[in-house]
Amino acid sequence: MSFVPQIQKIWKTKSAEDVSKKMFLAVAFGVFLWLVYGIVLKQWPIIIWNAISLVLAVTILALKYRFG
Amino acid sequence: MSFVPQIQKIWKTKSAEDVSKKMFLAVAFGVFLWLVYGIVLKQWPIIIWNAISLVLAVTILALKYRFG
């Protein structure tokens, strides 16, 4: 959920120059691994929260790609 | 560890304009709660990794404060 203010900020300013692509690639990969872990163990809270986090992290990467 | 490229980027460009202060405040608070949880349960891996994450998140906030 901490990603929401970052998404709002990029959307508002239409700028993501200072946001690190490497950071959010690493975050997205980490969250993806948690998601796989949740799926393997069939733990719904882990699946749901990490699926949401992954969507938000990928959104930031998409905005970074769009606004640079 | 995903915070390291963000720190490098801010340090290199001397700019953190697009980095969301709210995001890293939320991250630092979340990591702080994990740290307390680790201390209460005396789980050293949780303590060590969240202590490192907290230092890195606070570093990003300090750079944000410094470079804006």
Side-chain angles (χ1 to χ4, degrees):
Chain A
M1 286 304 107
S2 63
F3 298 159
V4 173
Q6 182 66 74
I7 292 172
Q8 288 174 326
K9 189 174 181 73
I10 297 173
W11 188 253
K12 203 171 152 191
T13 61
K14 310 286 177 206
S15 171
E17 190 66 44
D18 303 330
V19 174
S20 166
K21 187 166 69 180
K22 272 185 207 161
M23 170 176 160
F24 286 98
L25 280 174
V27 167
F29 184 64
V31 168
F32 173 75
L33 292 180
W34 269 105
L35 186 60
V36 170
Y37 176 83
I39 291 169
V40 169
L41 297 187
K42 291 181 184 160
Q43 292 291 318
W44 286 102
I46 297 177
I47 294 170
I48 292 166
W49 289 109
N50 285 287
I52 294 172
S53 300
L54 187 58
V55 168
L56 294 172
V58 169
T59 299
I60 291 175
L61 286 169
L63 289 170
K64 171 74 181 166
Y65 182 78
R66 172 73 179 77
F67 295 121
Chain B
M1 288 303 106
S2 62
F3 298 160
V4 173
Q6 182 66 73
I7 291 172
Q8 287 174 325
K9 188 172 180 72
I10 297 172
W11 189 254
K12 203 171 154 190
T13 61
K14 310 285 178 206
S15 170
E17 190 67 44
D18 302 330
V19 173
S20 166
K21 188 167 69 182
K22 274 184 205 161
M23 170 176 159
F24 286 97
L25 279 174
V27 166
F29 183 64
V31 168
F32 173 75
L33 292 181
W34 270 106
L35 186 59
V36 171
Y37 176 84
I39 292 168
V40 169
L41 297 187
K42 291 179 184 161
Q43 292 292 317
W44 285 101
I46 297 177
I47 293 171
I48 293 165
W49 289 109
N50 285 286
I52 294 171
S53 300
L54 186 58
V55 167
L56 294 172
V58 169
T59 300
I60 292 175
L61 286 169
L63 289 170
K64 170 75 181 166
Y65 182 77
R66 172 74 178 77
F67 295 120

